[in-house]
Every structure is written in C-alpha cells, then in structure tokens.
Amino acid sequence: MTISATFSSHGKILMSPLRKSEWANHPVLCKSVELFKNGRNQYRMSTNSNKFQCRALEIENKSSTKFHLDDVIESQQFDRETLSAIFEVAREMEKIEKNLIGGRSEILKGYLMATLFYEPSTRTRLSFESAMKRLGGEVLTTENAREFSSAAKGETLEDTIRTVEGYSDIIVMRHFESGAARRAASTASIPIINAGDGPGQHPTQALLDVYTIEREIGKLDGINVALVGDLAYGRTVRSLAHLLAMYQDVKIYFVSPDVVKMKDDIKDYLTSMGIQWEESADLIEVASKCDVVYQTRIQRERFGERVDLYEEARGKYIVDKSVVNAMQKHAVVMHPLPRLDEITVDVDGDPRAAYFRQAKNGLYIRMALLKLLLLGW
C-alpha cells in the first residue's frame, strides 16, 4: 500500500509538499513507514501493513529545524547563525571521519553525487568526492567537462544540467563563467553546489576558510586579515570578504600588485557593512598587524593574451621567512592552493603555516554541506 502525502512539523497532512529535510528532522512514530523521493520537493510514503491508518502518520516534534539549504551558490546567502550551524555539523563530520578506519559511514548510502568541472581542479573535486564516499554515497564524475562533455559539441549548460540531474541527487559544478552556478540552480530540481564560477565566487572555499580561521585563531570577531596576491580575479578572496563582513570589529588589508587590485564592488560592500579596509604595498608591515595572512596565486589563466601584465604581477608579494618572522606568534598563513612560488617552501615547517590543515578542513565542510543539502539538519 502506498500513500502520497506531505506533513507539517506537527504531523498534519498538507496540500503543498514539504522538503525531505523538513520531514527528516522529526522521528516517525510508525516505524514501518518509509519515505521515497519523487522529485526535489515531492515525497511519497509506503507501508506494507494493510492496517495502516492515518493516525500512524503523526510526527512527534522533538526538535526544530535550525535552517534549510536548497543550494550553495554564493557567500551572501549565509548569515552568522547559518555559518555556526554548518560549522557544528562540520565538527561532527570530523569525528565521523576520524573514526572511519578503512571504512565508510552510511549516512548518504544510496545517494549519487555528480561532479561537473569545466575548469581544472584537484583539491576541490577530490575533497567533494572523498566527502561523498566517506559518507557512504557514490560519485559520477567528469574532470574536464569543457572539453570532454557535450559542451564541446555546443550543448547549453541548462541542457547539461537537465540531463545530469536525471542521473544524480546532487550536482557539484565548477565553471569558467561567473554566474554559471546561479543559472544551473535556476534550472535544476536537485541541489547545486558552486565549486567556483570563473572570477565570481567559490563559496565552499570561503566556508572552509572561515572555519579554519575560527579553529586556528579561536575567534572571528575582532580579527585583522591580510588578503594578498590576485585580488581582482581571485574568487576565493571575494567570497571570503563577504563572509568576514558578517563579523564584528574586523579589519581587512588588501596587498596586491596594481594590475590585480581588489575591485570596487567588494570595497563598497565592506564599507556598507561597516568593515574597515585598507590598501597597502608593504606586506611585512601588514603581516605584523594581522591574525591571518591569506596569500593567493597570481592566476595566469585570467590574463588571456596579456602575458606582460601577468609577469608584472607575479612574484611581487611573496610570503617567505622574513614575512613569517614579522608575524605574531598566534597568527597563521593561509592559502587556497595550489601555490607556485608565492609561499616559499621553507615556511612549511613553521607551525603558523596553516594551508595544509586548511585543505583538510575542506573535507569536513563539504561532508557537512552534502549531509545538510541531502538530508537536512
């Protein structure tokens, strides 16, 4: 016997469907009832009992949903409360991962994640795939969708998304065009995660960056952060600036070559949020004042044919021993990776070099996001 129905947080049958995450937060009193997915917002219930009665559909509301995620598209979609909730789940994921000695959880057993990467990636793609598999899910992947997918034949992004969502439960996408993730989300009936869209945003990187700062420094209010390197095209620093603006008494220093200075939209946004910012050409002086020195790579791929501009920018600001020696004892150096020569290898042994710990934190954040998007709180 199968009954199609939806439920309020108090167990009442509704005319409009709830999301699965809202259902999943409430323990079901009738244990013989199972929930099957019909679509992004539609679910049906099934029971093998011929004595099934409506009263068995009552739900005991023991807890309330803290928040709900549909997609992860940009940093601006979050607030402090949501960030704290995500970080709480990430800490739970860290405990789960550390206890998985040669095994995997079954939290996401039966779910499929598709990764569509139209630009090269190592850390982001592998960390998402590792996160999904450690939680018991499976992965469908294409590393270079721009060249080795139907996009090479001229297929639109919207058609690709409509096709791939038929094979999977969630899509993680990196694209070379700013705004592509939003287009995908407006098309898809399953969750979309933006794994970087051109020079636009990289929200999951920003989440793991803020998570790392909190773990390393012990606070997010009242900190000074230096953003160094490619600030014009660096989607990681743009996303991070949006998240840092949610905290109190934060000051951001911009240190970059003139050709890749931070763009006015971010500066104007920080000003509107009451965040102090300052541009400087002296990396050592700034490093001595900051809790975090966030170094980034000068991105050759963003300069097109202007190799002269790339060479002008590359190598101007390098974090080496002289910079680290100027830093405070509690401060840290971060980097979204990959690095070229903008952090010298002799810095790696310093306990303030946090970039590999930062990369590991990406696993926990992405495990948390997959769990929240597919199952809810």
Side-chain angles (χ1 to χ4, degrees):
M1 172 180 163
T2 299
I3 297 178
S4 295
T6 57
F7 307 88
S8 72
S9 59
H10 300 290
K12 303 296 184 183
I13 297 178
L14 302 177
M15 294 302 293
S16 59
L18 291 177
R19 296 180 182 276
K20 185 174 181 180
S21 60
E22 294 178 75
W23 164 265
N25 285 301
H26 307 291
V28 181
L29 297 183
C30 179
K31 295 183 179 179
S32 64
V33 174
E34 293 182 284
L35 190 63
F36 296 88
K37 187 172 183 180
N38 280 348
R40 189 174 190 183
N41 299 319
Q42 297 178 354
Y43 301 90
R44 62 186 176 88
M45 300 191 67
S46 177
T47 176
N48 294 324
S49 171
N50 292 326
K51 297 181 180 179
F52 188 88
Q53 296 180 0
C54 287
R55 62 182 176 84
L57 296 177
E58 293 178 356
I59 301 170
E60 184 179 351
N61 186 7
K62 291 184 177 179
S63 61
S64 60
T65 302
K66 293 190 177 182
F67 70 96
H68 177 71
L69 286 177
D70 286 331
D71 307 287
V72 175
I73 304 302
E74 60 185 6
S75 294
Q76 298 96 302
Q77 75 184 82
F78 302 108
D79 56 26
R80 285 187 63 150
E81 183 180 1
T82 306
L83 292 179
S84 295
I86 292 172
F87 295 165
E88 181 181 336
V89 178
R91 287 188 286 271
E92 293 174 4
M93 295 299 106
E94 182 171 356
K95 293 177 184 176
I96 289 173
E97 189 268 341
K98 291 186 183 303
N99 291 328
L100 293 177
I101 303 175
R104 61 167 63 184
S105 167
E106 294 193 351
I107 292 175
L108 295 182
K109 183 177 180 180
Y111 285 92
L112 279 169
M113 177 186 77
T115 58
L116 285 174
F117 279 66
Y118 292 81
E119 283 190 329
S121 171
T122 302
R123 274 149 294 276
T124 302
R125 183 172 64 87
L126 291 183
S127 67
F128 266 114
E129 293 181 7
S130 176
M132 189 65 173
K133 290 186 175 183
R134 288 178 183 274
L135 291 176
E138 299 296 334
V139 176
L140 306 172
T141 185
T142 174
E143 182 176 4
N144 189 352
R146 189 175 189 176
E147 183 177 352
F148 298 116
S149 77
S150 293
K153 303 174 185 178
E155 183 177 53
T156 66
L157 174 63
E158 285 77 8
D159 280 2
T160 298
I161 294 298
R162 290 188 184 100
T163 301
V164 174
E165 72 175 353
Y167 309 145
S168 58
D169 301 294
I170 189 168
I171 296 174
V172 179
M173 188 183 79
R174 170 169 290 186
H175 204 275
F176 50 89
E177 292 181 354
S178 180
R182 183 174 295 281
R183 286 169 53 200
S186 66
T187 301
S189 62
I190 63 174
I192 298 290
I193 298 179
N194 180 5
D197 57 343
Q201 287 220 24
H202 196 345
T204 68
Q205 179 70 48
L207 289 170
L208 75 90
D209 290 341
V210 175
Y211 183 67
T212 299
I213 293 171
E214 183 180 57
R215 293 191 58 130
E216 296 284 338
I217 305 301
K219 63 178 183 177
L220 291 166
D221 291 315
I223 62 172
N224 295 332
V225 179
L227 302 181
V228 187
D230 187 349
L231 307 186
Y233 304 111
R235 56 194 171 201
T236 62
V237 289
R238 291 175 59 83
S239 293
L240 178 57
H242 278 290
L243 292 190
L244 290 175
M246 298 177 188
Y247 296 91
Q248 297 178 350
D249 301 321
V250 171
K251 183 168 184 178
I252 299 177
Y253 292 87
F254 299 130
V255 183
S256 67
D258 288 340
V259 70
V260 286
K261 283 183 175 293
M262 180 59 79
K263 294 182 178 179
D264 288 342
D265 65 324
I266 295 296
K267 296 175 185 176
D268 292 343
Y269 178 77
L270 293 175
T271 299
S272 72
M273 296 294 289
I275 299 296
Q276 295 184 61
W277 58 268
E278 178 181 321
E279 292 182 314
S280 175
D282 192 333
L283 177 56
I284 290 182
E285 180 186 4
V286 168
S288 69
K289 302 175 181 178
C290 287
D291 303 283
V292 178
V293 174
Y294 191 100
Q295 175 69 292
T296 64
R297 171 177 65 93
I298 303 297
Q299 301 176 82
R300 169 68 180 84
E301 61 271 25
R302 305 300 180 201
F303 285 83
E305 300 299 323
R306 296 302 306 272
V307 179
D308 56 325
L309 295 180
Y310 169 70
E311 294 297 338
E312 177 185 335
R314 182 183 176 188
K316 185 166 186 180
Y317 293 106
I318 294 176
V319 173
D320 55 17
K321 277 291 188 179
S322 64
V323 174
V324 174
N325 289 339
M327 293 170 58
Q328 302 172 71
K329 294 298 182 184
H330 75 277
V332 293
V333 178
M334 295 173 60
H335 192 302
L337 302 175
R339 68 170 167 183
L340 298 180
D341 54 4
E342 63 274 5
I343 299 179
T344 58
V345 294
D346 58 355
V347 173
D348 294 354
D350 193 292
R352 291 167 292 184
Y355 29 90
F356 293 115
R357 298 192 296 273
Q358 175 186 356
K360 180 70 178 201
N361 287 335
L363 174 65
Y364 309 134
I365 286 292
R366 287 161 180 147
M367 288 173 71
L369 291 174
L370 290 172
K371 187 266 181 184
L372 290 169
L373 284 164
L374 290 170
L375 299 181
W377 183 266

